[in-house]
Amino acid sequence: MLLLKMLQAATQASDDKDIVKSHAVRALGNLLRFLRESQLTKSAFQRPLDDAVRALVKTVQAEAIMKVRWNTCYALGNAFRNPALPLDSALWSQDVFSALCHVVTFCKNYKVRIKSAAALAVPARRGCYGDIKQFSFVWHSLATALENSEDTNDFLEYRYCASLRHTLSQALLHLLGVSESQDMPALGASLDSEEGCTIKKHLTRCIRAEDGGGELEGEKEMGGNSFNTQQRIEHLQLTLSKVKELRAEGDGRREEEGGKDIVVSFLEDCLKTCEEQLELQQ
């Protein structure tokens, strides 16, 4: 049970001095990422798993030095890459998303906000984001962070604005890509408001790479390769196709269809704007 002992040791170290915390939380992220489902379902791992995740939540919420909080957001994003992690059912799941949403919205350090936004865009399945209320909370947190992405008086932070906007825009596009029919009313209401205008402005700039190099850094923060404008447009097209394929069912069918129409129209407008700009550049 060496892996179990390592998990417990890293959890304990995450409550040590700041210089130790930075390494401890990174270790926790790595361990949580590579734990297999056969291990996570064992009773011996249940309490240590809970303790490990809650240690990360506590650290990201604490008034620790920014390097520690940055590493903790990175660790959570790393852990989210493990498809066996029970994000859709664990009792700590809501606390994790709540902590990251608070950081992405209110943290004064832009590098920490960038890393928290990147973490929120990691889960590959809609179910990982919880119920409709929690999914909407994540969406609005990212949208609010995008709207306030230039609200800083610190020049040292301002230089990260482009990267922050790119990462937030990509995270919002990711949420649209994993969304389900039940999410359409809330998403439609958002995109049909002033909030939607802000998202469209920054999303199209992100896809067209108009933020002076920030898009490259933003894609690195998302844990992937850098893409050109055409590849970003193809990603937008794929998201549009996924949304179009959604089928509303049940009592809320009318509201879901109405929300879907707004989301589809939003994505089509973004796509048209980006394609027109690409043609002018060729």
Side-chain angles (χ1 to χ4, degrees):
M1 301 292 275
L2 178 60
L3 197 58
L4 178 59
K5 292 181 179 179
M6 292 172 64
L7 187 66
Q8 292 171 325
T11 301
Q12 184 177 358
S14 70
D15 198 32
D16 207 315
K17 297 178 181 179
D18 285 341
I19 192 171
V20 178
K21 283 183 180 180
S22 290
H23 298 288
V25 295
R26 292 283 287 243
L28 280 176
N30 287 328
L31 290 168
L32 291 172
R33 178 176 181 178
F34 293 109
L35 283 173
R36 297 188 298 273
E37 185 175 4
S38 59
Q39 295 167 322
L40 290 171
T41 54
K42 289 182 178 179
S43 58
F45 274 87
Q46 297 305 304
R47 179 62 182 273
L49 172 63
D50 185 81
D51 290 343
V53 176
R54 293 193 183 281
L56 291 176
V57 171
K58 177 183 176 182
T59 305
V60 81
Q61 290 176 327
E63 293 300 323
I65 61 173
M66 292 305 169
K67 181 179 180 180
V68 173
R69 299 181 78 183
W70 185 94
N71 276 293
T72 307
C73 291
Y74 176 89
L76 286 169
N78 199 14
F80 287 174
R81 298 184 189 281
N82 184 351
L85 200 69
L87 276 175
D88 54 348
S89 59
L91 295 177
W92 41 257
S93 181
Q94 183 175 350
D95 293 335
V96 172
F97 283 107
S98 178
L100 287 172
C101 286
H102 185 271
V103 170
V104 81
T105 308
F106 298 109
C107 185
K108 294 181 180 180
N109 185 284
Y110 274 29
K111 293 186 72 174
V112 175
R113 292 174 68 180
I114 290 168
K115 191 55 68 176
S116 60
L120 287 168
V122 170
R125 295 180 292 105
R126 167 61 183 86
C128 294
Y129 289 96
D131 58 16
I132 299 174
K133 182 178 180 181
Q134 182 165 294
F135 183 85
S136 297
F137 179 67
V138 175
W139 171 270
H140 285 297
S141 296
L142 291 167
T144 300
L146 184 60
E147 184 176 2
N148 300 330
S149 59
E150 295 182 0
D151 292 350
T152 180
N153 295 320
D154 189 340
F155 176 76
L156 294 178
E157 297 301 328
Y158 190 80
R159 60 180 173 165
Y160 296 111
C161 278
S163 181
L164 175 60
R165 286 193 294 268
H166 181 90
T167 308
L168 289 166
S169 298
Q170 289 287 77
L172 288 165
L173 186 60
H174 173 76
L175 288 185
L176 288 174
V178 301
S179 63
E180 296 179 348
S181 185
Q182 61 182 347
D183 304 308
M184 291 298 108
L187 291 176
S190 168
L191 296 177
D192 198 34
S193 67
E194 189 66 29
E195 189 172 71
C197 295
T198 300
I199 295 172
K200 180 182 178 181
K201 179 181 71 173
H202 290 298
L203 180 58
T204 53
R205 289 183 64 183
C206 162
I207 293 172
R208 284 148 45 191
E210 291 183 3
D211 257 333
E215 70 283 349
L216 300 180
E217 291 300 320
E219 279 161 2
K220 291 178 183 178
E221 294 295 343
M222 299 290 284
N225 299 318
S226 297
F227 300 104
N228 59 36
T229 302
Q230 182 59 51
Q231 289 171 318
R232 295 191 190 99
I233 288 177
E234 290 173 359
H235 184 200
L236 181 60
Q237 290 172 328
L238 179 61
T239 302
L240 175 59
S241 297
K242 288 181 178 179
V243 174
K244 283 184 174 181
E245 291 173 358
L246 295 177
R247 293 291 178 266
E249 298 178 357
D251 296 335
R253 182 174 180 177
R254 177 177 294 182
E255 290 78 9
E256 290 179 11
E257 288 291 352
K260 175 185 170 182
D261 289 342
I262 295 172
V263 175
V264 167
S265 178
F266 170 86
L267 290 171
E268 287 177 338
D269 286 346
C270 289
L271 184 59
K272 180 180 179 181
T273 300
C274 294
E275 288 178 333
E276 289 176 348
Q277 184 64 31
L278 183 61
E279 289 179 1
L280 292 175
Q281 293 174 350
Q282 293 176 342

